[in-house]
Amino acid sequence: MARHETGKAKTLSTAQIRAVLSVLNTTRDVAMFLLSAKAALRAVEIAGLQWRHVRGDVLELTPDITKGGKPRIVPIGRAMRDALDAHRGDAPDHQNVFPNRHTAGRSLSANAVSQWFRHLYVERMGWTGYSSHSGRRTAITQLARSIVTHGGSLRDVQDIAGHSSLKTTQIYIEVSSDAKRRAMDAL
């Protein structure tokens, strides 16, 4: 897994998210990318996702696909919902969102999802230090920076991320020198 100097996968800027979306040409690829960058899902959760987990404006992740075997509810925004709707077609609830193209009735493996992200970031975009965890770190960082403006707290981010400890959530959040400077100027 490519990482930057902190040992963590790099986060994506807004411009990089737009750049990635501009090269993705299937509804499948857009949905897979957004599940990472906008819903903070892990590769294993993306791999195991079935249409039964998609319920209106939330993803109802069941213990069989989450890390640690704990269920969680992940609210999704309009862009994520639209991407999933465009990708679904008439697929039944029991079908995998990302079926294995080589083995009928099976989902992609977490490794296959990780490799897909590696190919996207390294081969297609030419970036280093990015991995399947980059989107997750990006979503968690963006949530942490905006949650208080919506009446929430880091505990809400922790719940969305599926972390049992707030310390773990804090490790995911990228520090911003510019944000710190703007906050201090506002005092």
Side-chain angles (χ1 to χ4, degrees):
M1 180 185 299
R3 298 172 186 269
H4 67 70
E5 63 278 355
T6 64
K8 300 176 200 138
K10 289 182 179 178
T11 56
L12 300 157
S13 68
T14 302
Q16 287 174 308
I17 291 171
R18 280 194 300 267
V20 168
L21 289 170
S22 75
V23 303
L24 299 177
N25 30 3
T26 68
T27 59
R28 171 196 178 269
D29 291 354
V30 170
M32 191 176 306
F33 174 71
L34 290 179
L35 284 166
S36 173
K38 296 292 183 184
L41 264 58
R42 298 172 176 98
V44 69
E45 295 163 343
I46 294 170
L49 197 66
Q50 293 183 342
W51 290 112
R52 67 185 171 95
H53 297 119
V54 181
R55 294 285 168 234
D57 292 334
V58 299
L59 301 175
E60 295 180 7
L61 304 182
T62 52
D64 57 313
I65 68 166
T66 62
K67 183 178 178 182
K70 295 179 182 173
R72 78 175 192 277
I73 304 293
V74 178
I76 56 174
R78 177 168 298 211
M80 179 79 263
R81 180 72 219 180
D82 290 348
L84 287 168
D85 286 346
H87 175 57
R88 182 170 188 166
D90 59 357
D93 277 359
H94 69 275
Q95 186 173 319
N96 298 308
V97 174
F98 304 106
N100 186 314
R101 294 176 181 171
H102 305 291
T103 310
R106 305 249 349 243
S107 66
L108 289 178
S109 67
N111 185 53
V113 172
S114 293
Q115 291 301 314
W116 182 86
F117 278 104
R118 182 191 179 299
H119 176 78
L120 172 64
Y121 294 135
V122 176
E123 305 300 324
R124 290 184 73 183
M125 303 307 295
W127 302 338
T128 59
Y130 297 85
S131 74
S132 62
H133 234 51
S134 291
R136 180 168 165 77
R137 286 198 68 231
T138 300
I140 291 169
T141 296
Q142 289 177 346
L143 279 169
R145 290 180 181 161
S146 68
I147 196 82
V148 294
T149 63
H150 302 288
S153 73
L154 282 181
R155 296 272 299 150
D156 296 304
V157 177
Q158 173 191 353
D159 187 61
I160 290 169
H163 292 145
S164 58
S165 165
L166 192 53
K167 280 185 171 186
T168 304
T169 305
Q170 290 172 315
I171 292 167
Y172 277 70
I173 300 168
E174 190 77 13
V175 174
S176 169
S177 296
D178 290 339
K180 291 188 292 186
R181 193 173 305 109
R182 287 190 306 270
M184 293 308 288
D185 285 344
L187 290 178

